[in-house]
Amino acid sequence: MSDTLNLAMELISRPSVTPEDAGCQSLIIDRLEAIGFKVERLRFGDVDNFWARRGDQGPLFAFAGHTDVVPTGPLDKWDSPPFQPEIRDGYLFGRGAADMKGSIAAMVTATERFIAAHPDHKGSIAYLLTSDEEGPSINGTVKVVEHLEARNEKIDWCLVGEPSSSHQVGDIIKNGRRGSLGAVLTVKGIQGHVAYPHLAENPVHKLAPALAELTAMEWDQGNDHFPPTTFQVSNIQAGTGATNVIPGEVTVVFNFRFSTEVTAEQLQAEVEALFQRHQLNYELQWNLSGQPFLTPEGALVDATLKAINKVTGREGQLSTSGGTSDGRFIAPTGAQVVELGPVNATIHKINECVKAEDLDMLSAIYEKTLIGLLG
């Protein structure tokens, strides 16, 4: 039982279902204050956050992450209680083991070892933790970043502990993410009896050709860092439930995951022009939840890749795949951002787990990254 594993189990035992923190941050703050960090607790709405910093000089390296977890799902489906961490067959089981209490534990122990060996390290080290990443992400990292920006406190390098690895720790690191643009579309018609369609106007029929065209469109071809932009419909709802009633309206929820080849404004304009060409009577509500960002190869990427190689002997691969993360709030400030964490095979699933030895490996990678940048 390593120090990293013990801390991970302590964190997992706290039922911090978003936006609850359940004492996780206090546990981490105690550890950080003991090694010289100055801590600001920042509560916005019902969300606990904190910013901790050791040093007042640049460059500033920050670990970022979240203490909240997703709901457990049916408890009777778990082989052991999700908030009673258990090690079986070399794996640590519990909600948050991979996403991302294991990463946080590895960050803390890596920082403790680094400071013990380098008490007068270069620059500064910081932590930005929230309990709002798995929720609406309104009162979490984005608010802390605004707080820092208001006083012109800038992060130079940020490592987010999201579970980026695919098969082995460090095989994938994320150096960017696609943008996410969602929408709720309502197309209006005239409700009526299916036997008298000439007295009604079916919005489903009106929408269908436009939707078919949308799903077949090529938005861009991507680039060296990003795959092509994708469009997906996630929900369609219409009708009263009766078989003999033409619906009065249809609602469609859809989402773009877009590359740096297009902007959110371009996508919106193309979609609305298409709906107008099809002469739809529609209302459209857009929600831009994140712009695409990319950290090119440089000091942070190089230090992280070298650390992975030193600890594992593997060559980490750069990727921008997957969903959004809180990195989308930090990158626009000018920070270099990478995401590196455990294998993501069981995140958000029943029986979430991580290989126990992987957390020690991850802690060693984090420590080597700190040495490469600030040692």
Side-chain angles (χ1 to χ4, degrees):
M1 290 292 290
S2 68
D3 196 19
T4 302
L5 202 54
N6 276 320
L7 180 53
M9 294 177 76
E10 284 190 76
L11 291 170
I12 292 168
S13 68
R14 289 161 166 78
S16 56
V17 176
T18 191
E20 295 298 322
D21 169 65
C24 291
Q25 292 181 21
S26 291
L27 176 62
I28 299 159
I29 286 170
D30 287 345
R31 301 275 290 245
L32 295 179
E33 287 181 334
I35 53 175
F37 280 80
K38 296 179 180 179
V39 178
E40 291 179 79
R41 293 177 183 263
L42 300 166
R43 186 172 174 86
F44 300 108
D46 60 351
V47 175
D48 289 310
N49 313 278
F50 78 79
W51 170 254
R53 179 167 178 164
R54 187 183 196 273
D56 54 15
Q57 301 296 315
L60 173 56
F61 173 92
F63 284 115
H66 60 92
T67 55
D68 59 322
V69 298
V70 295
T72 62
L75 293 175
D76 60 351
K77 301 293 185 182
W78 285 74
D79 293 336
S80 56
F83 297 114
Q84 292 180 26
E86 184 175 300
I87 297 176
R88 300 193 304 273
D89 301 322
Y91 284 81
L92 170 62
F93 287 82
R95 176 58 86 219
D99 189 13
M100 56 172 285
K101 292 180 176 181
S103 297
I104 292 174
M107 291 172 180
V108 172
T109 57
T111 305
E112 290 171 337
R113 293 193 307 274
F114 174 76
I115 290 173
H118 304 85
D120 300 314
H121 59 79
K122 294 183 293 186
S124 300
I125 307 173
Y127 276 72
L128 194 171
L129 294 188
T130 181
S131 61
D132 185 37
E133 198 274 344
E134 300 290 9
S137 299
I138 294 172
N139 289 313
T141 299
V142 64
K143 287 287 180 66
V144 179
V145 169
E146 290 172 0
H147 177 77
L148 298 175
E149 286 286 286
R151 64 190 187 201
N152 201 33
E153 188 169 4
K154 296 285 189 180
I155 299 170
D156 296 289
W157 304 310
C158 183
L159 193 156
V160 185
E162 288 292 341
S164 63
S165 302
S166 180
H167 302 290
Q168 297 173 304
V169 169
D171 60 356
I172 300 290
I173 69 169
K174 302 293 176 69
N175 66 321
R177 292 281 192 168
R178 295 174 295 173
S180 177
L181 175 66
V184 179
L185 167 70
T186 301
V187 178
K188 298 182 178 182
I190 300 173
Q191 183 173 308
H193 197 296
V194 296
Y196 302 95
H198 60 288
L199 300 177
E201 184 177 86
N202 194 321
V204 178
H205 293 188
K206 293 283 288 185
L207 172 63
L211 200 57
E213 187 173 338
L214 271 179
T215 59
M217 287 181 71
E218 181 183 84
W219 305 94
D220 59 56
Q221 295 183 337
N223 53 38
D224 290 342
H225 303 288
F226 290 91
T229 294
T230 61
F231 169 87
Q232 287 293 314
V233 173
S234 57
N235 201 305
I236 299 179
Q237 186 173 0
T240 64
T243 61
N244 59 353
V245 179
I246 293 170
E249 63 181 36
V250 57
T251 300
V252 180
V253 180
F254 60 83
N255 180 269
F256 286 98
R257 293 300 164 103
F258 63 101
S259 76
T260 51
E261 292 295 302
V262 293
T263 66
E265 291 76 16
Q266 287 173 322
L267 293 173
Q268 292 176 24
E270 285 195 53
V271 169
E272 295 191 32
L274 185 149
F275 290 158
Q276 289 164 13
R277 286 200 309 273
H278 284 266
Q279 299 181 333
L280 300 182
N281 179 11
Y282 70 94
E283 294 177 355
L284 193 54
Q285 294 179 319
W286 292 101
N287 176 40
L288 177 64
S289 60
Q291 295 280 9
F293 70 89
L294 179 71
T295 295
E297 292 188 43
L300 179 60
V301 169
D302 292 348
T304 308
L305 289 173
K306 286 178 182 176
I308 290 169
N309 183 255
K310 285 180 181 178
V311 174
T312 70
R314 292 190 285 273
E315 300 292 334
Q317 300 298 311
L318 301 177
S319 171
T320 61
S321 64
T324 59
S325 77
D326 275 1
R328 70 189 189 273
F329 302 126
I330 301 168
T333 68
Q336 296 179 34
V337 178
V338 298
E339 300 172 23
L340 172 61
V343 173
N344 56 27
T346 64
I347 60 174
H348 293 205
K349 292 184 178 181
I350 302 292
N351 291 325
E352 180 181 349
C353 64
V354 62
K355 190 179 291 186
E357 65 181 18
D358 282 358
L359 295 187
D360 291 317
M361 194 178 298
L362 188 61
S363 182
I365 293 170
Y366 289 161
E367 182 184 6
K368 294 291 186 186
T369 303
L370 283 169
I371 292 170
L373 293 170
L374 301 179

